[in-house]
Amino acid sequence: MSKKISILIMVLIFLSGCWDERLNKDFASIPMVGFDGELGNLTGYFGLPGEQHQSKEFEMLSAKGVSVQDVAQKVDQKVNQRLDLSKLTSILLSDDTVKSDLDHYLDAYYRNSRSRLNTVLIITEGSTAPFIKYGEKMGSDVNNYYSEFVEGFKLESVLSKADIQQSLSDLTDEAIDLTLPYIKMSKEGDIPELVGVALFSEKKFSGKTLNKDESIILQLMKKKKGKYPYLTFTHKEIPITIKVDNLQRKMQWDGKHIEIHYKMKVGVMEYYKNHFLEKKELQELEKFLEETFTKRMEEILKVLHDGNCDALGIGRYARAFHPDVFEKNKWNEIYPTLTITPTVQVKIIETGITD
């Protein structure tokens, strides 16, 4: 008898079903959302792929509300299925919206256990509406368009990790500031294109941005080199394209003045002058690259200082090695007073098969 009872209990367990069962037919997955405005007067745009509802066409749903969750609930009332944000791949926020604390717009996603931690965050020039509406032209790529967009530029060293997990980590760490992808609509064809990165000061958009080439150099300065860090400069009216193969960084600090020394090994990908067998020519080109990188880094550091954005994480270095300088809750006041000087040493290690 006891054996029969045991079997019966096992059968009941396996046939009882899941307590949190979610049937696909009851939900419509949303791959991307965008927000304009501010808390108290927020507008949300939700991209709904055609295969997720009765229509075969992509649809952009919108609603106004006082918060992210309030907007989502009002959009939810406009469809005959529950909106499912567990497959959300991208969150877009207008540059005006993030002039107030970014984490206020992400709180609802942090608290939801079904949220994807690798959902990418993107800042848009102007309203997010046209960027969500562009889903009409994305076709089968609509579910992952912006996440793959970001991933491609990560490989090229233009962008670093920009998901909600990494962003939360940076936002809660006062010793480093966040950078996020910054996009706009191109004038030719209304296609989303990358401007570069938006620089944050504490939890707010500083209003300062870097273009794509500056963003690559910033990634190198942060030692966040991607797989294909290509840069093109002009030397004596001749274009030269290089790829940074290896990078080392060392900091020296006397308390107020910081020197950051970089050592780079690069390969020449294009340079039609082709006189690398001449040692003098090679040394001249290395010197040109050193001077160019140093100048560009100085310009980037000025933008970071003007925006009070510690994208390099100098605060983390201060907290670890100069606790006498780092003062909790006051790093954003200390950072702008520091003098940061970069120096660069370049070694050309690859010139191709023509030399």
Side-chain angles (χ1 to χ4, degrees), residues 166-177:
Q166 183 62 51
S167 298
L168 175 61
S169 174
D170 289 347
L171 286 172
T172 54
D173 186 346
E174 64 176 315
I176 191 169
D177 284 313

Side-chain angles (χ1 to χ4, degrees), residues 155-157 213 216-217 220 225-235 238-247 263-272 276 282 284-294 296-297 344-352:
L155 289 173
E156 295 176 17
S157 286
D213 282 351
I216 293 173
I217 295 174
L220 296 175
K225 182 177 75 71
K227 196 170 183 179
Y228 307 109
Y230 290 88
L231 285 162
T232 299
F233 305 117
T234 301
H235 176 53
I238 300 173
I240 175 172
T241 299
I242 63 166
K243 176 177 179 287
V244 180
D245 290 314
N246 185 272
L247 176 71
K263 286 186 178 181
M264 296 184 189
K265 292 181 180 179
V266 307
V268 176
M269 312 308 293
E270 181 184 32
Y271 187 60
Y272 65 76
F276 292 120
L282 192 65
E284 180 184 333
L285 194 55
E286 287 175 340
K287 184 179 179 183
F288 162 76
L289 292 172
E290 289 171 352
E291 292 173 349
T292 302
F293 267 114
T294 300
R296 297 287 182 90
M297 287 181 180
V344 183
Q345 180 182 333
V346 175
K347 179 72 174 175
I348 296 175
I349 59 171
E350 183 183 350
T351 59

Side-chain angles (χ1 to χ4, degrees), residues 178-196:
L178 184 65
T179 64
L180 289 176
Y182 188 54
I183 63 175
K184 69 176 183 179
M185 276 294 179
S186 67
K187 294 179 180 178
E188 308 84 17
D190 291 332
I191 299 173
E193 67 175 15
L194 185 75
V195 176

